[in-house]
Amino acid sequence: MFTPKTYRRRREALVKLMAGEGGLVLLPANGEAPANYPDNCYRFRQDSTFLYFTGIDRPGYYALVDLDQGCETLLGDDPTMNDIIWTGPQPSTADHAMKAGIEQACPVAQLETLVARAVASGRRVHYLPPYRAGMTLKIAALLGIAPGAVHGGASVALALAVVALRSVKEPREVERIERACATGYRMHTTAMRMCRPGVGEREIMGAIEGIALQEGAGVAFPSIVSQHGETLHNLSCDDRLTEGRMLLVDAGAEEAMHYCCDFTRTTPVGGRFNTMQREIYDIVLGANDLGRRLAAPEMLYRDIHLAAATHIAEGLVALGLVKGDPREAVEAGAHALFMPHGLGHMMGLDVHEMENIGEKYVGYDRETARSERLGLASLRLGRRLQQGMTMTIEPGIYFIPALIQKWRAEGICRDFIDFDRVERYVGLGGIRIEDNILITAEGCRLLGERLPATVEQVEEMAGQ
Ligand SMILES: [Mn+2]
């Protein structure tokens, strides 16, 4: 945990940003989530906004911030004798409140009374849209509304205030993210060294997820460890590595306080790229480099995405896969055949930072909105960048047989794509190169030590 002062200051900033709103802010912790019977739960993961404002990494708590009176309450139940027998001595609610810099602590049973009193006197209860069914039901019961009305009743003012605060990282948060990056470095270099014919994808997954568990709170999301890199979120990993293919690993760790990293590397099995792979790899790497050169305060991330897409189109024109003017090809959305995803996303306490709060407020803003246009429709982040933001840059090129077939059959972008030539690349799979950056005063810098990235660096690491 950070100091109580840190959490108090963050909540004071929240109250300031919500000046004029009035009412109560309800910040719920996550509860335990049963996997297959009530006592066998998934790994506990705290709600990131609750973590940000309190630092408390335990289930079942609620923080209430009174915007009118400026007082704060932590609600939680003290451990019972039974809890102590099974799970050992635990801090009391008052202990947690003290560490979070919250003055009042009381049992959860009082939540209903406090909220009911606010509702009865016509005061607004601000909450973020819940993402677990149990919390939706809880909020419905507390406010006396139908579960179906909970999402729509979430507070826009609270969403905007939380996004404003969490988007800009404090130096102490950057330091934590870089700890996660150090673990990510070890995960990815381990995967590269294991990338030999005959090794199971699952062996590599087990090895790298083990590193995440040894060094911190485990993985930030289920690892992608696959020779089928063209399947963007491929979670199956039952194949054995074969010479001539490439292994795509998209994996990240959470450090002890749950700050994340999120890296992707693509390594040739056996440690040597063939010519076809190397040509495509270098285009993706060039797009990654370009993204980092352009990322700076006031830049629209959407424009960086389009610049990276144009770089990819230029590279593919040189190889004869794309025809015509690269800029016009990108305007028509032709790059989406090869990169059907966005260039990146914010990252912090969530690997997709604040995705639960609503993309409209997180990835976009008053000035920008997600476009329906081909080649932009999957972009999670489009808004203007600010100093202190942390995000990924993750261009890729993929050869997805079903998508190529569909585009060919429907004649999509046929003026810009040489389908005969593209089909020769089916079987190559997919390449993605993902780094994590911090927006600085002048531009951006990498978070953590750079993982092997050039063809030479990857081949050297894979050859070890
Ligand atoms: Mn990512």
Side-chain angles (χ1 to χ4, degrees), residues 182-374:
T183 299
Y185 184 95
R186 284 185 281 274
M187 291 164 72
H188 280 271
T189 50
T190 298
M192 285 176 178
R193 283 194 297 262
M194 290 178 75
C195 194
R196 295 167 189 281
V199 177
E201 291 169 347
R202 187 169 293 279
E203 283 172 62
I204 298 177
M205 189 202 56
I208 67 175
E209 295 205 344
I211 294 170
L213 283 166
Q214 282 166 23
E215 298 190 0
V219 291
F221 55 93
S223 307
I224 298 165
V225 181
S226 175
Q227 291 174 109
H228 281 287
E230 76 279 12
T231 304
L232 301 182
H233 278 181
N234 194 348
L235 295 181
S236 77
C237 56
D238 293 318
D239 286 345
R240 292 204 165 268
L241 305 192
T242 44
E243 191 87 51
R245 299 185 70 182
M246 292 179 292
L247 179 72
L248 185 147
V249 177
D250 183 345
E254 282 186 7
E255 52 79 56
M257 285 175 65
H258 302 287
Y259 285 91
C260 303
C261 71
D262 179 9
F263 295 113
T264 307
R265 284 297 183 267
T266 311
T267 308
V269 176
R272 288 287 170 273
F273 287 99
N274 64 36
T275 308
M276 217 179 203
Q277 292 168 342
R278 192 184 314 119
E279 284 172 350
I280 300 293
Y281 188 93
D282 277 335
I283 299 171
V284 179
L285 184 64
N288 174 301
D289 290 339
L290 177 65
R292 286 184 297 113
R293 275 204 304 282
L294 294 177
E298 293 307 311
M299 272 296 283
L300 281 175
Y301 195 81
R302 186 184 59 203
D303 291 344
I304 304 174
H305 169 86
L306 288 172
T310 306
H311 178 91
I312 285 172
E314 284 163 0
L316 295 176
V317 165
L319 292 180
L321 282 76
V322 172
K323 305 180 283 190
D325 179 63
R327 273 172 204 286
E328 285 172 23
V330 168
E331 248 160 66
H335 62 285
L337 178 63
F338 307 98
M339 188 173 96
H341 61 69
L343 185 65
H345 50 85
M346 273 207 275
M347 189 198 75
L349 276 169
D350 302 300
V351 71
H352 288 179
E353 184 77 321
M354 299 180 278
E355 205 159 270
N356 58 308
I357 297 178
E359 184 185 85
K360 203 167 119 189
Y361 310 117
V362 179
Y364 294 89
D365 53 21
R366 279 196 193 86
E367 182 190 4
T368 53
R370 195 195 269 232
S371 163
E372 293 296 313
R373 201 176 110 189
L374 187 61

